[in-house]
Amino acid sequence: MGLALNRQVSLAVHGGAGSGPLPASDATLRRHLRTVLAAGRQQLAAGGSALETVLSCTAQLEDDALFNAGCGAVPTTAGGFELDASAMNGSDLRAGAVAAVSGVRNPILLAAKLLTGSEAVMLAGAGASDYARERGLAMVPVEYFETGWRRYPRDHDIPGTVGAVARDSLGHLAAATSTGGRRGQIPGRVGDSPLIGAGSWADDRSCAVSCTGIGEQILRVTLAARLALLMEIGGLALAAAAERAVTELVARVNGEGGLIAVDGDGRIITAQSSEHLLCAWFEHGGPGHTALQGRIRVARR
């Protein structure tokens, strides 16, 4: 079935939230986001599941040095690269996550290996890297990450984190999130991205969410799960829940960040308290949109 005839599928991707001058022109950022969105559209059109699609889109963003994940990761104060990722499936709440992993080209694909939950839901550090090698995932030398890092102008902002959320033709939801870290982070630091309920959440009963921004602040308010609970328990619609969740991020911790989300009806929302949120989306199989700011903006103190 061609996507033009399938009004059930929706997809959103993001390339991070932050403040300050961006690392590339508006046109370049939008072009890169459109490329990923188009690939996700084709995958959903071919009958791909929401989970398969968000994993694929996030892996593509990891491979793009323009964004802070995978190839575009930033070094720790010790000069190493420690990456985080998570994914969640809304139909059965399967989840997988990795934290502070080194040498893995696509951390989101490593997180995907844990979605069965048979061995672990989350792995960290050297154990996660060993697991990736044992499962035959692509491993890369440190130079792979250093090459991406050198592309950033030092006086420009590095948008934190990439991710995707989707609703497939069966009505199932999924979310994925990946990050290359925070500029100047100490070794071993872990933010929100690999933590289910903070950086990622998906539940067919409410929504799928991928968050981005200052991880410590997002983690402290469990931003992704907060949005979902405002819908499932609080009875709010997606847009109202997203605005409330980001408002709480600001009110409680003066947090800087953003999110993308999709509900069970395929409605997409993008919201932020940061200066920018790099995002692209289509709803119900309709036309694609790109933006450098979310639909909902909440001012920080």
Side-chain angles (χ1 to χ4, degrees), residues 101-176:
V101 63
S102 300
V104 179
R105 175 171 176 162
N106 293 108
I108 194 61
L109 300 185
L110 175 55
K113 293 289 186 181
L114 300 172
L115 280 163
T116 62
S118 59
E119 296 174 287
V121 169
M122 185 176 188
L123 291 177
S129 297
D130 291 343
Y131 188 88
R133 292 187 187 91
E134 293 167 3
R135 299 312 184 274
L137 291 180
M139 306 297 292
V140 291
V142 69
E143 289 78 15
Y144 174 80
F145 303 108
E146 289 175 344
T147 299
W149 164 243
R150 292 192 188 104
R151 291 186 58 180
Y152 289 120
R154 291 301 182 266
D155 60 344
H156 283 53
D157 188 34
I158 302 169
T161 314
V162 302
V165 297
R167 181 195 190 275
D168 62 30
S169 60
L170 298 179
H172 298 315
L173 307 179

Coordinates of all heavy atoms in Angstrom, one line a residue, residues 101-176:
V101 N 28.8 3.7 26.5 CA 29.4 2.7 25.6 C 30.4 3.3 24.7 O 30.2 4.4 24.2 CB 28.3 2.0 24.9 CG1 27.5 2.9 23.9 CG2 28.9 0.8 24.1
S102 N 31.5 2.6 24.5 CA 32.6 3.1 23.6 C 32.8 2.2 22.5 O 32.7 1.0 22.6 CB 33.9 3.3 24.4 OG 33.7 4.2 25.5
G103 N 33.2 2.8 21.3 CA 33.6 2.0 20.2 C 32.5 1.4 19.3 O 32.8 0.8 18.3
V104 N 31.3 1.6 19.7 CA 30.1 1.1 18.9 C 29.6 2.2 18.0 O 29.3 3.3 18.4 CB 29.0 0.7 19.9 CG1 27.8 0.1 19.1 CG2 29.5 -0.3 20.9
R105 N 29.6 1.8 16.7 CA 29.2 2.8 15.7 C 27.8 3.3 15.9 O 27.5 4.5 15.8 CB 29.4 2.2 14.3 CG 28.9 3.1 13.2 CD 29.2 2.7 11.8 NE 28.6 3.6 10.8 CZ 29.0 3.6 9.5 NH1 30.0 2.9 9.1 NH2 28.4 4.4 8.7
N106 N 26.9 2.4 16.1 CA 25.5 2.7 16.3 C 24.9 2.2 17.6 O 24.4 1.1 17.7 CB 24.6 2.2 15.2 CG 25.0 2.8 13.8 OD1 25.6 2.2 12.9 ND2 24.5 4.1 13.7
P107 N 25.0 3.0 18.7 CA 24.5 2.6 20.0 C 23.1 2.2 20.0 O 22.6 1.3 20.7 CB 24.8 3.8 20.9 CG 25.9 4.5 20.2 CD 25.7 4.3 18.8
I108 N 22.2 2.8 19.1 CA 20.8 2.5 19.1 C 20.6 1.1 18.6 O 19.6 0.4 19.1 CB 20.0 3.5 18.2 CG1 18.5 3.4 18.5 CG2 20.4 3.3 16.7 CD1 18.1 3.7 19.9
L109 N 21.5 0.6 17.7 CA 21.3 -0.8 17.3 C 21.7 -1.8 18.4 O 21.2 -2.9 18.4 CB 22.1 -1.0 16.0 CG 21.7 -0.1 14.8 CD1 22.5 -0.5 13.6 CD2 20.2 -0.2 14.5
L110 N 22.6 -1.4 19.2 CA 23.0 -2.2 20.4 C 21.8 -2.2 21.4 O 21.5 -3.2 21.9 CB 24.3 -1.6 21.0 CG 24.7 -2.3 22.3 CD1 24.9 -3.8 22.2 CD2 26.0 -1.6 22.8
A111 N 21.2 -1.0 21.6 CA 20.0 -1.0 22.5 C 19.0 -1.9 22.0 O 18.3 -2.6 22.7 CB 19.5 0.4 22.6
A112 N 18.8 -2.0 20.6 CA 17.8 -2.8 20.0 C 18.0 -4.3 20.3 O 17.1 -5.1 20.4 CB 17.8 -2.6 18.5
K113 N 19.3 -4.7 20.5 CA 19.6 -6.1 20.8 C 19.1 -6.5 22.1 O 18.9 -7.7 22.4 CB 21.1 -6.3 20.7 CG 21.7 -6.1 19.4 CD 21.3 -7.3 18.4 CE 22.1 -7.2 17.1 NZ 21.7 -8.3 16.2
L114 N 18.8 -5.5 23.0 CA 18.3 -5.8 24.4 C 16.8 -5.8 24.5 O 16.3 -5.9 25.6 CB 18.9 -4.8 25.3 CG 20.5 -4.8 25.4 CD1 21.0 -3.6 26.2 CD2 21.0 -6.1 25.9
L115 N 16.1 -5.5 23.4 CA 14.6 -5.3 23.5 C 13.9 -6.6 23.9 O 12.8 -6.5 24.4 CB 14.1 -4.9 22.1 CG 14.3 -3.4 21.8 CD1 14.1 -3.1 20.3 CD2 13.3 -2.5 22.6
T116 N 14.5 -7.7 23.8 CA 13.8 -9.0 24.2 C 13.8 -9.0 25.8 O 12.9 -9.7 26.3 CB 14.5 -10.2 23.7 OG1 15.9 -10.3 24.2 CG2 14.6 -10.2 22.2
G117 N 14.7 -8.4 26.4 CA 14.8 -8.4 27.9 C 15.2 -9.7 28.4 O 15.2 -9.9 29.7
S118 N 15.6 -10.6 27.6 CA 16.0 -12.0 28.1 C 17.3 -12.0 28.9 O 17.4 -12.8 29.8 CB 16.1 -12.9 26.9 OG 17.1 -12.5 26.0
E119 N 18.2 -11.1 28.5 CA 19.5 -11.0 29.3 C 19.6 -9.8 30.1 O 20.1 -9.8 31.2 CB 20.6 -11.1 28.3 CG 20.7 -12.4 27.5 CD 21.8 -12.3 26.4 OE1 21.5 -11.7 25.4 OE2 22.8 -13.0 26.6
A120 N 19.1 -8.7 29.6 CA 19.1 -7.4 30.3 C 18.3 -6.4 29.5 O 18.1 -6.5 28.3 CB 20.6 -6.9 30.5
V121 N 17.8 -5.4 30.2 CA 17.2 -4.3 29.5 C 18.2 -3.2 29.3 O 18.1 -2.5 28.3 CB 16.0 -3.7 30.4 CG1 15.5 -2.4 29.8 CG2 14.8 -4.8 30.4
M122 N 19.2 -3.1 30.2 CA 20.2 -2.0 30.1 C 21.6 -2.5 30.4 O 21.7 -3.3 31.3 CB 19.8 -0.9 31.0 CG 20.7 0.4 30.9 SD 20.2 1.7 32.0 CE 21.2 3.0 31.4
L123 N 22.5 -2.1 29.5 CA 23.9 -2.5 29.8 C 24.7 -1.2 29.7 O 24.4 -0.2 29.1 CB 24.5 -3.4 28.7 CG 23.9 -4.8 28.7 CD1 24.5 -5.6 27.5 CD2 24.3 -5.5 30.0
A124 N 25.9 -1.2 30.4 CA 26.7 0.1 30.5 C 28.2 -0.3 30.4 O 28.6 -1.4 30.7 CB 26.4 0.8 31.8
G125 N 28.9 0.7 29.9 CA 30.4 0.7 30.0 C 31.0 -0.5 29.1 O 30.5 -0.8 28.1
A126 N 32.0 -1.0 29.7 CA 32.8 -2.1 28.9 C 31.9 -3.3 28.7 O 32.1 -3.9 27.6 CB 34.0 -2.5 29.8
G127 N 31.0 -3.6 29.6 CA 30.2 -4.8 29.3 C 29.3 -4.6 28.1 O 29.0 -5.5 27.4
A128 N 28.8 -3.3 27.9 CA 28.0 -3.1 26.8 C 28.8 -3.2 25.5 O 28.3 -3.7 24.5 CB 27.4 -1.7 26.9
S129 N 30.0 -2.7 25.5 CA 30.9 -2.8 24.3 C 31.2 -4.2 24.0 O 31.2 -4.6 22.8 CB 32.2 -2.0 24.5 OG 31.9 -0.6 24.7
D130 N 31.5 -5.0 25.0 CA 31.8 -6.4 24.8 C 30.5 -7.1 24.2 O 30.7 -8.0 23.3 CB 32.1 -7.1 26.1 CG 33.5 -6.6 26.6 OD1 34.3 -6.1 25.9 OD2 33.8 -6.9 27.9
Y131 N 29.4 -6.8 24.7 CA 28.1 -7.4 24.2 C 28.0 -7.1 22.7 O 27.5 -7.9 21.9 CB 27.0 -6.9 25.0 CG 25.6 -7.5 24.7 CD1 25.3 -8.7 25.4 CD2 24.7 -7.0 23.8 CE1 24.1 -9.3 25.2 CE2 23.5 -7.6 23.6 CZ 23.2 -8.7 24.3 OH 22.0 -9.3 24.1
A132 N 28.3 -5.8 22.3 CA 28.2 -5.4 20.9 C 29.1 -6.2 20.0 O 28.7 -6.7 18.9 CB 28.5 -3.9 20.8
R133 N 30.3 -6.4 20.5 CA 31.3 -7.3 19.7 C 30.8 -8.7 19.6 O 30.8 -9.3 18.5 CB 32.7 -7.3 20.4 CG 33.4 -5.9 20.4 CD 34.8 -6.0 21.0 NE 35.4 -4.7 21.1 CZ 35.3 -4.0 22.2 NH1 34.7 -4.5 23.3 NH2 35.9 -2.8 22.3
E134 N 30.3 -9.2 20.7 CA 29.8 -10.6 20.6 C 28.6 -10.8 19.7 O 28.4 -11.8 19.1 CB 29.4 -11.0 22.0 CG 30.5 -11.2 23.0 CD 30.1 -11.3 24.5 OE1 28.8 -11.3 24.7 OE2 30.9 -11.3 25.4
R135 N 27.8 -9.7 19.5 CA 26.6 -9.8 18.7 C 26.9 -9.3 17.2 O 26.0 -9.2 16.4 CB 25.5 -8.9 19.2 CG 25.0 -9.4 20.6 CD 24.7 -10.8 20.7 NE 24.2 -11.3 21.9 CZ 24.8 -11.7 23.0 NH1 26.2 -11.5 23.0 NH2 24.2 -12.1 24.1
G136 N 28.2 -9.0 16.9 CA 28.6 -8.7 15.6 C 28.2 -7.3 15.1 O 28.2 -7.0 13.9
L137 N 28.0 -6.4 16.0 CA 27.7 -5.0 15.6 C 29.0 -4.3 15.2 O 30.1 -4.6 15.6 CB 27.1 -4.2 16.8 CG 25.7 -4.7 17.2 CD1 25.2 -3.8 18.3 CD2 24.7 -4.6 16.0
A138 N 28.8 -3.3 14.3 CA 30.0 -2.6 13.8 C 30.7 -1.8 14.9 O 30.1 -1.0 15.6 CB 29.5 -1.6 12.7
M139 N 32.0 -2.0 15.0 CA 32.8 -1.3 16.0 C 33.8 -0.4 15.2 O 34.2 -0.7 14.1 CB 33.7 -2.3 16.8 CG 32.8 -3.4 17.5 SD 31.6 -2.8 18.7 CE 32.8 -2.2 20.0
V140 N 34.1 0.7 15.8 CA 34.9 1.7 15.1 C 36.0 2.2 16.0 O 35.8 2.2 17.3 CB 34.0 2.9 14.6 CG1 33.1 2.5 13.5 CG2 33.2 3.5 15.7
P141 N 37.1 2.7 15.5 CA 38.2 3.3 16.3 C 37.8 4.7 16.8 O 36.9 5.3 16.3 CB 39.4 3.3 15.4 CG 38.8 3.5 14.0 CD 37.5 2.7 14.1
V142 N 38.5 5.2 17.8 CA 38.2 6.5 18.3 C 38.3 7.6 17.3 O 37.6 8.6 17.3 CB 39.1 6.8 19.5 CG1 40.6 7.0 19.1 CG2 38.6 8.0 20.3
E143 N 39.1 7.4 16.2 CA 39.2 8.4 15.2 C 37.9 8.6 14.4 O 37.7 9.7 13.9 CB 40.3 7.9 14.1 CG 41.7 7.9 14.6 CD 42.1 6.8 15.5 OE1 41.3 5.8 15.5 OE2 43.1 6.8 16.2
Y144 N 37.1 7.6 14.4 CA 35.7 7.8 13.8 C 35.0 8.9 14.5 O 34.4 9.7 13.8 CB 35.0 6.5 13.9 CG 33.5 6.5 13.4 CD1 33.3 6.5 12.0 CD2 32.5 6.6 14.3 CE1 31.9 6.5 11.6 CE2 31.2 6.7 13.8 CZ 30.9 6.6 12.5 OH 29.6 6.7 12.0
F145 N 35.0 8.9 15.8 CA 34.3 9.9 16.5 C 35.0 11.3 16.5 O 34.4 12.3 16.5 CB 34.0 9.5 18.0 CG 33.3 8.2 18.1 CD1 33.9 7.0 18.5 CD2 31.9 8.1 17.8 CE1 33.3 5.8 18.6 CE2 31.2 6.9 17.8 CZ 31.9 5.8 18.2
E146 N 36.3 11.2 16.6 CA 37.1 12.5 16.5 C 36.9 13.2 15.2 O 36.9 14.4 15.2 CB 38.6 12.1 16.7 CG 39.0 11.7 18.1 CD 40.4 11.2 18.2 OE1 41.0 11.0 17.2 OE2 40.9 11.1 19.4
T147 N 36.8 12.5 14.1 CA 36.5 13.2 12.8 C 35.2 13.9 12.9 O 35.2 15.1 12.4 CB 36.5 12.1 11.7 OG1 37.8 11.5 11.6 CG2 36.2 12.8 10.4
G148 N 34.2 13.3 13.4 CA 32.9 14.0 13.5 C 33.0 15.2 14.4 O 32.5 16.3 14.1
W149 N 33.7 15.1 15.6 CA 33.8 16.1 16.5 C 34.5 17.3 16.0 O 34.1 18.5 16.2 CB 34.6 15.6 17.8 CG 35.1 16.6 18.7 CD1 36.4 16.8 19.0 CD2 34.4 17.6 19.5 NE1 36.6 17.9 19.9 CE2 35.3 18.3 20.2 CE3 33.0 17.9 19.7 CZ2 35.0 19.3 21.1 CZ3 32.7 18.9 20.5 CH2 33.6 19.6 21.2
R150 N 35.5 17.1 15.1 CA 36.3 18.3 14.6 C 35.5 19.1 13.6 O 35.9 20.2 13.3 CB 37.5 17.7 13.9 CG 38.6 17.1 14.8 CD 39.9 16.9 14.1 NE 40.8 16.1 14.9 CZ 41.1 14.9 14.7 NH1 40.5 14.2 13.7 NH2 42.0 14.2 15.5
R151 N 34.3 18.6 13.2 CA 33.5 19.4 12.2 C 32.8 20.5 12.9 O 32.3 21.4 12.3 CB 32.5 18.5 11.5 CG 33.2 17.5 10.6 CD 32.1 16.7 9.8 NE 31.2 17.6 9.1 CZ 30.2 17.1 8.3 NH1 30.0 15.8 8.2 NH2 29.4 18.0 7.7
Y152 N 32.7 20.5 14.3 CA 31.9 21.5 15.0 C 32.7 22.8 15.1 O 33.8 22.7 15.6 CB 31.5 21.0 16.4 CG 30.4 20.0 16.4 CD1 30.7 18.7 16.9 CD2 29.2 20.2 15.8 CE1 29.7 17.7 17.0 CE2 28.2 19.2 15.9 CZ 28.5 18.0 16.4 OH 27.5 17.0 16.5
P153 N 32.2 23.9 14.7 CA 32.8 25.2 15.1 C 32.8 25.3 16.6 O 31.8 25.1 17.2 CB 31.9 26.2 14.4 CG 31.2 25.5 13.4 CD 31.0 24.1 13.9
R154 N 33.9 25.7 17.2 CA 34.0 25.7 18.7 C 33.2 26.8 19.3 O 32.9 26.7 20.5 CB 35.5 25.8 19.1 CG 36.4 24.6 18.8 CD 35.8 23.4 19.4 NE 36.6 22.2 19.2 CZ 36.4 21.4 18.2 NH1 35.4 21.5 17.4 NH2 37.2 20.3 18.0
D155 N 32.8 27.8 18.5 CA 31.9 28.8 19.1 C 30.5 28.6 18.8 O 29.6 29.5 19.0 CB 32.4 30.2 18.6 CG 32.3 30.3 17.1 OD1 32.1 29.3 16.4 OD2 32.3 31.5 16.6
H156 N 30.1 27.4 18.3 CA 28.7 27.1 18.0 C 28.2 26.1 18.9 O 28.9 25.3 19.5 CB 28.6 26.7 16.5 CG 28.7 27.8 15.5 ND1 29.7 28.7 15.5 CD2 27.8 28.1 14.5 CE1 29.5 29.5 14.5 NE2 28.4 29.2 13.9
D157 N 26.9 26.1 19.0 CA 26.2 25.1 19.9 C 26.2 23.7 19.3 O 26.2 23.6 18.0 CB 24.7 25.5 20.1 CG 24.1 24.7 21.2 OD1 24.7 24.3 22.1 OD2 22.8 24.4 21.0
I158 N 26.2 22.7 20.1 CA 26.1 21.3 19.7 C 24.8 20.8 20.1 O 24.6 20.5 21.3 CB 27.3 20.5 20.2 CG1 28.6 21.1 19.8 CG2 27.1 19.0 19.7 CD1 29.8 20.4 20.6
P159 N 23.8 20.7 19.3 CA 22.5 20.2 19.7 C 22.7 18.8 20.4 O 23.4 18.0 19.8 CB 21.7 20.1 18.4 CG 22.4 21.1 17.5 CD 23.8 21.1 17.8
G160 N 22.0 18.7 21.5 CA 22.2 17.4 22.2 C 21.2 16.4 21.9 O 20.0 16.6 22.0
T161 N 21.6 15.2 21.4 CA 20.8 14.1 21.2 C 20.0 14.0 19.9 O 19.7 15.1 19.3 CB 19.7 14.0 22.4 OG1 20.4 14.2 23.6 CG2 19.0 12.7 22.4
V162 N 19.7 12.8 19.4 CA 18.8 12.6 18.3 C 17.7 11.6 18.7 O 17.9 10.9 19.7 CB 19.6 12.1 17.1 CG1 20.7 13.1 16.7 CG2 20.2 10.7 17.3
G163 N 16.7 11.5 17.9 CA 15.7 10.5 18.2 C 14.5 10.5 17.2 O 14.5 11.3 16.3
A164 N 13.6 9.6 17.4 CA 12.5 9.5 16.5 C 11.3 8.8 17.3 O 11.5 8.1 18.2 CB 12.8 8.6 15.3
V165 N 10.1 9.2 16.9 CA 8.9 8.5 17.4 C 8.0 8.2 16.2 O 8.0 9.0 15.2 CB 8.1 9.4 18.4 CG1 9.0 9.7 19.6 CG2 7.7 10.8 17.8
A166 N 7.2 7.2 16.3 CA 6.4 6.8 15.1 C 5.1 6.1 15.6 O 5.1 5.4 16.6 CB 7.2 5.9 14.1
R167 N 4.1 6.2 14.7 CA 2.9 5.3 14.8 C 2.8 4.6 13.4 O 2.8 5.2 12.4 CB 1.6 6.2 14.9 CG 0.3 5.3 15.0 CD -0.9 6.2 14.8 NE -2.1 5.5 15.2 CZ -2.8 4.7 14.3 NH1 -2.3 4.6 13.1 NH2 -3.9 4.2 14.7
D168 N 2.7 3.3 13.5 CA 2.6 2.5 12.3 C 1.2 2.2 11.8 O 0.2 2.6 12.5 CB 3.5 1.2 12.4 CG 3.0 0.3 13.5 OD1 1.7 0.2 13.8 OD2 3.8 -0.5 14.0
S169 N 1.0 1.5 10.8 CA -0.3 1.2 10.2 C -1.2 0.3 11.1 O -2.4 0.3 10.9 CB -0.2 0.6 8.8 OG 0.5 -0.6 8.9
L170 N -0.6 -0.4 12.0 CA -1.4 -1.2 13.0 C -1.7 -0.4 14.2 O -2.4 -0.9 15.1 CB -0.6 -2.4 13.3 CG -0.2 -3.4 12.2 CD1 0.6 -4.6 12.7 CD2 -1.5 -3.8 11.5
G171 N -1.3 0.9 14.3 CA -1.6 1.7 15.4 C -0.6 1.6 16.6 O -0.9 2.1 17.7
H172 N 0.5 0.9 16.4 CA 1.5 0.8 17.4 C 2.5 1.9 17.4 O 2.7 2.5 16.4 CB 2.3 -0.6 17.2 CG 1.4 -1.8 17.4 ND1 0.4 -1.9 18.4 CD2 1.3 -2.9 16.6 CE1 -0.2 -3.1 18.2 NE2 0.3 -3.7 17.1
L173 N 3.0 2.2 18.6 CA 3.9 3.3 18.8 C 5.3 2.8 19.2 O 5.4 1.8 19.8 CB 3.4 4.3 19.9 CG 1.9 4.8 19.8 CD1 1.6 5.7 21.0 CD2 1.7 5.5 18.5
A174 N 6.3 3.7 18.9 CA 7.7 3.4 19.4 C 8.5 4.6 19.4 O 8.1 5.6 18.8 CB 8.3 2.4 18.4
A175 N 9.5 4.6 20.3 CA 10.4 5.7 20.4 C 11.8 5.3 20.5 O 12.1 4.2 21.0 CB 10.1 6.5 21.7
A176 N 12.8 6.1 20.0 CA 14.2 5.8 20.1 C 14.9 7.1 20.4 O 14.5 8.2 19.8 CB 14.7 5.1 18.9

